[in-house]
Amino acid sequence: MSSSSPSQDSTQSSEPLKPDEITALEYTSLKVPYEMFNKRFRSSQKTIEKNNYFLKESADLVAKAMKGDGTSPIYKRDVKEKMDIYFGRFDELFGTFKQITDEEMELIDLLDTRVKYLQQANTTDALKQETWRSQRISRLIIDYLLRSGYFETAQKLAEQANVEDMCNKTVFMIAKQVEDSLSRHETDRCLEWIADNKSKLRRLKSTLETTVRLQDCIELVRRGDRLEAVHYARKFLANLPKDQWSEQVVKVMGLIGFGIPSKSRAYNEYFSEKRWDQLIELFKQENARVYKVNYQKQHSIMELLQCLGN
């Protein structure tokens, strides 16, 4: 009875991964670059429209300078000055357009790379399939490291496993910046993130922005700046949707109007440090919803490897 050689074993066909298994584990791999591209596209539209408006404004000034008012002479110097402004803004628009195009093409290339990588899961070649599975385990560990804030370690493992293009490092790094700022009781970075993802958060009916705005109001009341809190609430909470007028909103409005009750325990929770912890947790949840990244309690590496081995 003859035995097969090692070379024959390595090329022996194997069953490809089940589609539902791939979908469950790899959905985020495509969702993240798609959402990043979608966000960049919307932002680009606004930027181009703004630059285009300034360009048109400059063109109108040139036309006005060349036409004159019918009574005064037209000076070449004035026309040249307006033309210089026009061409300067044209160059600015062209440069902005090129930068936007380059950034969008990078995201498209990344998405294309990930699609091609995931298609390799359908191979029936045993050796290639084993390599793909091994890389997937590395990617799951990298995902764990990124969620835990070990960015340098995650980067080294990604380079070693040759899966850099499949890791969502940028998303986790930005999230860590927001979390750190909230832990310092600062909301500016979080509000920037909210502005960048505003349309997506609106579709998800997120309450994150409302919660952050309420926290800003609470901090103003804590400092005794109730008048400033009134102006802030009018600016950012006046058009709050009816479905977000919760008991919490009403109580914060009461704090702004009447100040901190001296003998009421009902409002103590609003000045507790735990509110910032809750805000961080809410941000983590919304970040996970926007990008469809994992959001779960952290486990040890050993627990993760045990789960992968089952």
Side-chain angles (χ1 to χ4, degrees):
M1 182 176 179
S2 61
S3 59
S4 58
S5 64
S7 60
Q8 289 175 325
D9 290 340
S10 63
T11 57
Q12 193 175 29
S13 63
S14 176
E15 288 294 326
L17 295 175
K18 297 179 181 179
D20 58 341
E21 182 183 359
I22 298 172
T23 302
L25 292 173
E26 307 298 350
Y27 179 69
T28 301
S29 299
L30 300 180
K31 183 65 174 178
V32 169
Y34 168 78
E35 286 297 338
M36 292 176 67
F37 175 79
N38 196 21
K39 181 175 68 175
R40 188 70 187 99
F41 178 76
R42 292 194 303 270
S43 175
S44 300
Q45 282 185 311
K46 295 178 182 178
T47 302
I48 291 175
E49 287 174 2
K50 182 179 179 180
N51 280 272
N52 194 43
Y53 171 80
F54 288 134
L55 183 65
K56 184 179 182 301
E57 186 180 55
S58 299
D60 292 341
L61 291 174
V62 171
K64 184 177 180 180
M66 294 180 68
K67 184 178 180 181
D69 58 8
T71 58
S72 303
I74 299 174
Y75 294 100
K76 181 179 179 181
R77 181 182 66 254
D78 293 340
V79 175
K80 183 179 182 302
E81 181 181 323
K82 299 297 188 298
M83 288 291 291
D84 288 343
I85 294 174
Y86 173 80
F87 284 116
R89 289 183 173 175
F90 180 84
D91 290 340
E92 184 178 348
L93 175 61
F94 182 79
T96 300
F97 183 78
K98 185 179 184 305
Q99 179 183 353
I100 288 172
T101 303
D102 291 343
E103 291 175 357
E104 290 182 350
M105 286 305 301
E106 284 182 9
L107 291 171
I108 291 174
D109 290 342
L110 177 61
L111 188 57
D112 181 61
T113 298
R114 292 192 175 189
V115 169
K116 290 178 179 177
Y117 178 85
L118 296 180
Q119 287 175 338
Q120 297 175 19
N122 292 322
T123 181
T124 56
D125 185 289
L127 182 59
K128 291 182 179 179
Q129 190 177 114
E130 182 60 30
T131 300
W132 198 91
R133 289 179 184 272
S134 176
Q135 287 180 330
R136 185 175 61 173
I137 292 175
S138 296
R139 286 166 46 218
L140 290 172
I141 297 174
I142 291 167
D143 180 81
Y144 165 85
L145 293 170
L146 290 173
R147 282 188 287 113
S148 303
Y150 300 112
F151 298 113
E152 292 184 8
T153 305
Q155 178 64 30
K156 290 180 180 179
L157 180 56
E159 292 173 358
Q160 182 180 354
N162 195 28
V163 290
E164 291 179 88
D165 289 336
M166 297 300 296
C167 300
N168 300 315
K169 182 179 178 180
T170 301
V171 171
F172 288 106
M173 289 187 70
I174 293 174
K176 186 65 165 58
Q177 292 172 5
V178 175
E179 292 166 25
D180 288 346
S181 66
L182 290 175
S183 67
R184 296 191 300 268
H185 297 187
E186 300 169 359
T187 60
D188 289 349
R189 187 67 186 87
C190 186
L191 289 171
E192 287 178 12
W193 184 89
I194 290 170
D196 289 340
N197 298 277
K198 200 172 189 67
S199 61
K200 182 68 176 180
L201 292 170
R202 187 184 299 113
R203 289 198 299 273
L204 293 172
K205 296 183 178 181
S206 171
T207 61
L208 178 61
E209 181 174 4
T210 300
T211 306
V212 174
R213 298 295 185 187
L214 289 175
Q215 189 62 37
D216 280 342
C217 289
I218 291 170
E219 294 305 312
L220 288 170
V221 173
R222 189 201 301 271
R223 295 200 300 264
D225 295 333
R226 284 170 52 201
L227 183 58
E228 181 63 27
V230 170
H231 294 319
Y232 187 93
R234 284 178 177 174
K235 183 176 181 180
F236 297 110
L237 298 172
N239 297 319
L240 196 64
K242 290 183 179 180
D243 60 347
Q244 292 196 25
W245 273 91
S246 61
E247 180 183 355
Q248 178 181 217
V249 175
V250 174
K251 284 188 175 181
V252 172
M253 294 302 107
L255 283 174
I256 295 173
F258 302 104
I260 305 173
S262 58
K263 297 182 180 180
S264 175
R265 294 183 179 180
Y267 290 88
N268 288 346
E269 62 179 287
Y270 291 93
F271 298 97
S272 170
E273 292 293 312
K274 291 182 179 180
R275 279 191 61 86
W276 288 100
D277 295 333
Q278 293 167 358
L279 190 54
I280 292 173
E281 286 303 308
L282 178 59
F283 165 74
K284 288 180 179 180
Q285 292 175 24
E286 299 305 79
N287 184 62
R289 291 175 70 198
V290 168
Y291 291 107
K292 295 296 186 292
V293 294
N294 292 332
Y295 175 74
Q296 57 189 34
K297 292 183 178 180
Q298 300 295 325
H299 299 285
S300 68
I301 287 289
M302 290 304 298
E303 289 176 326
L304 180 62
L305 292 175
Q306 286 174 0
C307 291
L308 291 172
N310 292 334

